[in-house]
Amino acid sequence: MPKKKKSEVKLNWKTAYDLLQERQSLQRLSTKTAIDELIGGGLEEGTVTEFYGEFGSGKSQICFTLAAIVAGELDMDVVFIDCEQTFKPERIAEIARNRGYDPTKVLQHIYLIQPLTVDEQMAALNSIPETVKPKLIIVDGATTLFRSEYIGRETLAERQGLLRQFLKQLKNYVKQNKIWGIVTNQVYQSPDGTIFMPLDQKELSVGGHSWWHMVDDRIFLRKSTGTKRIAKLVDSSMHPPAERPFQITEKGVEQIGEILSKE
Ligand code: ADP
Ligand code: MG
């Protein structure tokens, strides 16, 4: 086939106003907690939101809850890529029941893959069955397998390249299909409050890493007292830095108090 002349390349010019109109029609996925207030009312269609934090900070509970909401309330499919083998259908059923959704329907809407290797994780997105039309795609523990398979400084460049490739694939999928995307990442916090990941403490310091620059909104989760957790928006291109509390209950992640706080 003859190569297209430059003049035949279609470019899609629009006004900023048109873009604003398009953006205002985007559907938001509400977490039904004050986390919504951090990100303009909920997760935005076509974007990837990252939740990161220590073990037990509530990353998976947010994933389970949003999966239950999309399946139970919107009656739509969810793809769940569980890279840490911590997915619990019983917990999702509990969340569904306590929110008044049909647990069977919810579980039947959630398509689960539990990759054991980086190769399996990299292949996951391209292997989603055609009959599955996810409205939400979750990658819980997105960097975990990479960390366990690529050990040592000399493997860092290759690993980061693959991670970027994976995230790019995910971003394209989410954007093209106008769906919601979530990734979670485990980090560690030293007593002085510095957040780090093992092995590559320097490279992954806050704000300094290309992976983190590729996600749209990043929310840091930390434990507070008891069931209470704090969500903090970090480095958003659109929203001011702020933090809001939430709690983990039989309903999954839940608002603290009745009314969303106003500012
Ligand atoms: P991570 O950030 O490591 O993914 P999780 O999202 O799994 O952490 O959150 C773990 C927390 O959720 C624990 O503190 C646990 O007490 C709480 N949790 C787990 N299951 C339930 C439940 N059924 N009811 C209330 N809290 C729960
Ligand atoms: Mg988890």
Side-chain angles (χ1 to χ4, degrees):
M1 223 170 60
K3 202 165 180 265
K4 270 189 179 177
K5 275 191 267 159
K6 272 213 173 97
S7 58
E8 291 170 28
V9 173
K10 265 198 182 163
L11 288 173
N12 188 19
W13 282 85
K14 58 180 109 177
T15 66
Y17 183 74
D18 292 337
L19 184 59
L20 179 67
Q21 303 287 95
E22 275 172 34
R23 288 183 51 75
Q24 280 171 345
S25 71
L26 291 176
Q27 203 185 340
R28 288 190 178 266
L29 172 58
S30 170
T31 67
K32 301 174 191 284
T33 72
I35 294 173
D36 289 359
E37 297 171 32
L38 299 173
I39 48 175
L43 278 62
E44 191 179 300
E45 262 176 349
T47 69
V48 176
T49 304
E50 177 180 30
F51 293 95
Y52 67 103
E54 283 178 275
F55 173 77
S57 57
K59 303 180 294 294
S60 296
Q61 301 303 318
I62 289 181
C63 296
F64 295 166
T65 307
L66 290 176
I69 290 173
V70 169
E73 207 161 289
L74 306 181
D75 209 359
M76 295 180 103
D77 291 345
V78 176
V79 161
F80 203 116
I81 304 176
D82 170 27
C83 308
E84 294 185 338
Q85 314 286 312
T86 54
F87 183 90
K88 298 284 183 307
E90 297 84 355
R91 173 63 171 147
I92 304 226
E94 177 190 47
I95 293 169
R97 257 192 316 276
N98 284 303
R99 286 174 179 265
Y101 311 145
D102 173 5
T104 305
K105 182 183 90 173
V106 165
L107 294 176
Q108 283 174 343
H109 264 310
I110 301 175
Y111 292 83
L112 176 72
I113 190 106
Q114 298 183 295
L116 291 170
T117 62
V118 166
D119 281 351
E120 287 183 10
Q121 183 178 339
M122 296 293 290
L125 290 174
N126 286 329
S127 72
I128 297 173
E130 277 194 11
T131 49
V132 181
K133 302 276 177 247
K135 187 65 201 174
L136 168 65
I137 188 155
I138 293 167
V139 187
D140 196 11
T143 63
T144 303
L145 291 166
F146 290 85
R147 271 191 236 155
S148 64
E149 263 177 58
Y150 290 79
I151 299 164
R153 288 260 149 217
E154 66 285 0
T155 66
L156 208 66
E158 188 186 350
R159 186 184 70 177
Q160 298 314 107
L162 280 173
L163 262 170
R164 270 196 296 277
Q165 200 181 315
F166 177 76
L167 191 61
K168 199 154 185 220
Q169 231 186 25
L170 176 68
K171 279 189 77 154
N172 288 343
Y173 189 97
V174 161
K175 194 154 190 165
Q176 274 160 16
N177 295 292
K178 259 183 119 181
I179 66 173
W180 298 296
I182 295 174
V183 295
T184 77
N185 244 321
Q186 190 162 331
V187 298
Y188 299 79
Q189 195 160 9
S190 53
D192 68 358
T194 318
I195 299 153
F196 67 93
M197 294 186 172
L199 297 174
D200 34 14
Q201 185 165 355
K202 204 165 145 213
E203 188 180 1
L204 293 173
S205 61
V206 175
H209 187 246
S210 54
W211 157 276
W212 282 357
H213 288 145
M214 282 178 74
V215 295
D216 296 282
D217 275 323
R218 297 174 45 217
I219 297 171
F220 173 59
L221 306 177
R222 68 174 194 270
K223 294 178 192 168
S224 182
T225 47
T227 58
K228 190 176 163 189
R229 300 287 186 277
I230 310 289
K232 179 182 182 184
L233 182 69
V234 183
D235 284 349
S236 167
S237 59
M238 207 164 71
H239 308 291
E243 48 180 60
R244 291 288 186 279
F246 65 98
Q247 59 185 333
I248 305 176
T249 70
E250 70 284 353
K251 286 186 175 173
V253 293
E254 209 187 344
Q255 174 66 19
I256 293 182
E258 284 298 304
I259 303 158
L260 293 184
S261 60
K262 285 200 187 110
E263 260 185 16

